[in-house]
Amino acid sequence: MAVFNPKKREIECKLVYYGPGRCGKTTNLEWIHRTFTKNVVGKMVSINTDGDRTLFFDFLPMGLGKIRGCEIRVQLYTVPGQVKYSATRKLVLKGVDGVVFVADSMAVRREKNALSLKDLATNLKEYGLNIFKVPLVMQFNKRDLGAEGVPLLSIEQMQRDLNRQLKVPAFPASALNGEGVRDTLKAALESTLKHLHQEMRWAQPT
Amino acid sequence: MTGQPLLSGNLSFYSLPDLLQMLGGNGASGILRLYSPHSPHPGLIYFQDGQPIHALNGDKLGLEALYSLFGWLAGEFSFNPEKFNVSRTVHHSRMQLILDGLKMLDDGEVAVLGPPDPARQSRNLDFNLVHGPLVDYMAVVDEERYVAGQEIMVEGAYGSWIWVILEGQVDLLRETPEGPLKLLSLGEGAFIGNMTSFSIHGHIRRASCVAATNVVLGVLDLQRLSVEYTRMSGDMRAVALSIDRRLKQATDRLVTFRRDEIEPRTEAADLPPVQAAAEDEGIYCITEGKAAVVWRKDGQPFVLAELGARDVFGRIPFADLGQEPHSATVIGDAALAYRPLDRDALDAEYRGLSLTFQNFFKSMINSLAVTTKLSVQAHARVLHAGNDHRRKPAALKSMQTGGIP
């Protein structure tokens, strides 16, 4: 749920990167923070939660337009999946405006992907959100490992496993070298902002 | 205090992270006061242009005070736009503070004052906190109150009182040469005391117990429970004592790993599996010989329990230990002999026990599950740290008899 900050004339919204442990969600954010230096505000907050770190920074997606003359500020987060981090997850996921689900293309992680997606649906439901309605984009990460001989799930297989019902935009990626990261982010931002426009029922961006 | 509070309300509805975000977004300056029924003094956070710059919580100052306030889940708050003159002690950004604070809360590093989050309670296996089932007040004869930090029982001392935790949380500790080592915490519904209290030799406390928060303990009717215990069938007593022995072993292992030591592999880890236990859902009592319950992780055996005469293994009808037969293998030496127990009779007998006794079993089994999980984690941590040089000398330990209390 986007927050309107009248003092700064900004609309703040939340985009969360979610996925099974070590799938590359933190890599995505680190790449974005390193690369889009003009858009990033301030340092990245990094918390040493067990397993997957929790990352956060502010992002100004310039060039995607304003809403009613207000700048848009996107808060980018990754969130740890462990059951015990419920307070952290609640703060991050409650009122989330867009989600990027990062799936691990390694064949051995197939089940973990599915479980993580199921967890996402459950967590969203806890906060009154529906995974079918929340702006969602998928990323099939670690495609580069195929070249090193690691058995990967094919894109078709992953689409079948994860995206058959949801039917959201999905992008292959190798976050370690940045491939697919920008496309995923752009699609996620567009989807999120479109949803925001509709939610606020305001006029077209200027 | 100058001026009316600009904002006030209830912490259970609008929590500290929410307040930090809101006051931050508004660029507010002033003092946020938190009030908790569980604390004699309010917590204070000083804001300058939306940024928390200093905090007070009793004798805690600065960052430490601020993080401790994340545990104040119940109570009230009020924000006043007053001027103040304090030096800045907190320099972290707002989101850093919020995410760090929440992580500490989730990790159990911050004391919670107030009703625990029910969502967190139902998943206690990931916490080092054991809960018991809903308390049966029929066998509670007295209530005792302890303040946070007060000692409830001392390791090595004689004592056979059994308590059930009515409110609050306690810590179980073991003495080590390096000082007291915290094992795990017990919460509402959990029992303090062991089944061995009912047998003649069982009266020495295996651990110390200290109140972590203010607690209310229900003292149980030991006489009544003892009578019920002696009326149990020999087989049921064998089950109770055997689970209790596994708990003791798991606890001993946890202490070993937490002290950064690795147990040498026992010879038994290479023995063949016991056919009966692997194939059916039966339950057996060992009459002679030795066995071990082994869990294999990535091909490496991890000994969960060592069993001997009078120990029970297999599928316990009224409890899932989370060990054999589905999650672990029972292996035995050549001399192993065992007899089958009557599952249906045991099941029926369990359901005929008093609710308190059933709860006692459940509490013990929960403790076993959590302690086992913690010892596996601690073992992994020691391995990861590459502590080969800390392994005990090469002499392989032979199996301990598990059968004699």
Side-chain angles (χ1 to χ4, degrees):
Chain A
M1 194 191 61
V3 173
F4 177 49
N5 189 329
K7 282 213 170 89
K8 296 190 204 165
R9 285 205 73 80
E10 260 180 8
I11 295 175
E12 284 174 3
C13 63
K14 252 195 292 201
L15 181 59
V16 175
Y17 278 61
Y18 196 97
R22 289 178 299 285
C23 63
K25 40 190 196 291
T26 46
T27 315
N28 264 274
L29 253 64
E30 280 163 349
W31 193 89
I32 294 168
H33 191 264
R34 238 186 358 253
T35 313
F36 296 114
T37 41
K38 294 203 183 70
N39 305 71
V40 163
V41 184
K43 285 203 310 214
M44 179 158 63
V45 170
S46 171
I47 310 287
N48 254 342
T49 35
D50 277 347
D52 290 315
R53 277 177 301 137
T54 305
L55 298 183
F56 162 82
F57 57 88
D58 275 330
F59 187 85
L60 301 175
M62 303 175 292
L64 282 183
K66 301 185 190 184
I67 297 181
R68 267 282 192 117
C70 286
E71 287 290 348
I72 300 151
R73 178 185 285 258
V74 181
Q75 295 179 327
L76 286 173
Y77 290 89
T78 62
V79 65
Q82 278 95 325
V83 170
K84 69 168 164 169
Y85 290 118
S86 54
T88 306
R89 207 168 23 253
K90 185 169 169 180
L91 176 100
V92 174
L93 280 182
K94 200 161 76 152
V96 70
D97 299 291
V99 178
V100 172
F101 183 77
V102 180
D104 195 327
S105 296
M106 297 208 295
V108 297
R109 309 280 283 163
R110 187 177 174 198
E111 206 189 312
K112 287 276 191 301
N113 287 332
L115 283 173
S116 180
L117 190 61
K118 187 156 155 271
D119 271 344
L120 174 62
T122 308
N123 283 320
L124 288 174
K125 198 159 155 212
E126 254 181 85
Y127 312 129
L129 296 168
N130 185 336
I131 194 173
F132 286 92
K133 302 226 177 94
V134 159
L136 177 64
V137 156
M138 272 197 209
Q139 185 186 83
F140 302 144
N141 194 24
K142 302 197 189 171
R143 300 312 300 176
D144 54 307
L145 290 181
E148 295 176 32
V150 176
L152 294 185
L153 303 163
S154 67
I155 301 286
E156 295 74 32
Q157 176 81 70
M158 296 183 82
Q159 289 276 24
R160 267 202 305 273
D161 279 349
L162 305 168
N163 207 8
R164 197 166 22 181
Q165 287 176 289
L166 293 166
K167 297 202 186 58
V168 297
F171 300 88
S174 307
L176 215 49
N177 45 40
E179 279 167 37
V181 174
R182 181 199 306 261
D183 288 341
T184 309
L185 177 64
K186 185 152 176 285
L189 289 172
E190 282 172 351
S191 178
T192 304
L193 261 48
K194 183 164 162 225
H195 187 84
L196 268 182
H197 280 286
Q198 287 168 355
E199 262 196 347
M200 298 191 174
R201 279 190 283 254
W202 281 354
Q204 295 86 305
T206 39
Chain B
M1 202 150 79
T2 56
Q4 290 282 77
L6 290 184
L7 183 74
S8 59
N10 195 309
L11 283 170
S12 56
F13 179 71
Y14 212 61
S15 65
L16 181 58
D18 296 323
L19 288 168
L20 287 172
Q21 294 205 354
M22 202 263 306
L23 291 171
N26 274 289
S29 293
I31 303 181
L32 175 68
R33 284 182 179 78
L34 305 185
Y35 305 93
S36 166
H38 303 273
S39 170
H41 46 253
L44 268 66
I45 306 178
Y46 298 81
F47 283 79
Q48 190 74 54
D49 300 317
Q51 177 69 23
I53 63 165
H54 185 52
L56 282 176
N57 182 5
D59 49 9
K60 296 198 187 78
L61 293 177
L63 208 55
E64 196 196 342
L66 184 53
Y67 286 142
S68 69
L69 292 172
F70 275 84
W72 289 29
L73 302 181
E76 277 149 26
F77 64 86
S78 76
F79 180 75
N80 293 60
E82 38 196 295
K83 287 201 171 34
F84 51 79
N85 192 6
V86 294
S87 323
R88 183 171 186 163
T89 57
V90 173
H91 300 275
H92 287 342
S93 71
R94 195 170 18 115
M95 277 318 294
Q96 175 94 43
L97 291 169
I98 293 173
L99 290 176
D100 256 333
L102 287 177
K103 169 199 176 280
M104 291 172 74
L105 184 65
D106 283 328
D107 273 334
E109 288 165 29
V110 160
V112 172
L113 299 188
D117 181 357
R120 209 202 304 274
Q121 265 189 353
S122 61
R123 297 165 180 155
N124 61 21
L125 279 191
D126 266 343
F127 245 159
N128 59 349
L129 177 67
V130 174
H131 278 284
L134 237 36
V135 176
D136 167 31
Y137 282 85
M138 291 284 287
V140 175
V141 291
D142 196 4
E143 281 184 10
E144 286 179 354
R145 284 166 198 277
Y146 295 81
V147 221
Q150 203 174 345
E151 221 161 41
I152 298 164
M153 76 187 185
V154 180
E155 182 180 347
Y158 279 96
S160 49
W161 288 116
I162 302 180
W163 298 269
V164 65
I165 301 176
L166 300 177
E167 271 174 42
Q169 206 175 307
V170 304
D171 287 337
L172 286 182
L173 312 154
R174 274 275 185 93
E175 275 303 320
T176 69
E178 295 88 33
L181 181 66
K182 180 172 152 182
L183 300 169
L184 43 72
S185 302
L186 302 177
E188 282 149 22
F191 284 63
I192 304 174
N194 301 96
M195 294 259 178
T196 46
S197 286
F198 303 126
S199 58
I200 302 170
H201 303 289
H203 288 179
I204 299 207
R205 299 297 191 187
R206 306 206 291 238
S208 296
C209 182
V210 170
T213 64
N214 293 346
V215 290
V216 180
L217 300 181
V219 183
L220 292 177
D221 188 345
L222 198 62
Q223 168 146 40
R224 194 165 125 173
L225 291 175
S226 293
V227 166
E228 195 176 351
Y229 181 79
T230 46
R231 288 208 184 122
M232 286 191 331
S233 69
D235 284 352
M236 184 58 103
R237 279 204 296 276
V239 172
L241 290 177
S242 188
I243 299 177
D244 182 78
R245 269 192 294 277
R246 290 201 199 195
L247 177 56
K248 180 178 186 312
Q249 286 182 15
T251 310
D252 290 340
R253 269 191 198 95
L254 178 58
V255 174
T256 307
F257 300 147
R258 281 260 173 91
R259 295 181 60 209
D260 282 335
E261 286 165 359
I262 298 256
E263 251 188 358
R265 281 183 50 179
T266 63
E267 299 150 0
D270 299 319
L271 291 174
V274 175
Q275 281 306 96
E279 279 169 358
D280 63 35
E281 306 275 290
I283 175 173
Y284 305 90
C285 185
I286 297 177
T287 49
E288 60 184 272
K290 297 177 190 149
V293 181
V294 175
W295 176 59
R296 280 180 204 282
K297 183 187 158 108
D298 304 323
Q300 289 289 79
F302 184 94
V303 177
L304 293 176
E306 290 165 8
L307 312 175
R310 279 186 265 155
D311 271 319
V312 170
F313 66 88
R315 186 107 170 72
I316 298 174
F318 50 84
D320 181 12
L321 296 185
Q323 300 186 357
E324 81 280 14
H326 298 297
S327 311
T329 326
V330 181
I331 57 181
D333 68 9
L336 187 68
Y338 48 90
R339 62 179 175 89
L341 301 179
D342 188 338
R343 296 202 65 216
D344 296 329
L346 277 176
D347 200 20
E349 190 181 348
Y350 177 80
R351 287 173 209 301
L353 291 175
S354 71
L355 197 53
T356 296
F357 232 103
Q358 291 184 17
N359 289 349
F360 200 177
F361 266 100
K362 286 189 190 133
S363 176
M364 179 172 61
I365 289 163
N366 280 353
S367 289
L368 177 60
V370 172
T371 308
T372 304
K373 183 150 187 149
L374 287 174
S375 70
V376 168
Q377 282 174 357
H379 183 257
R381 231 173 269 142
V382 182
L383 276 185
H384 262 253
N387 285 330
D388 281 352
H389 64 279
R390 290 195 216 167
R391 278 180 194 269
K392 283 195 185 147
L396 286 179
K397 204 167 71 147
S398 57
M399 290 177 63
Q400 301 162 348
T401 24
I404 298 163

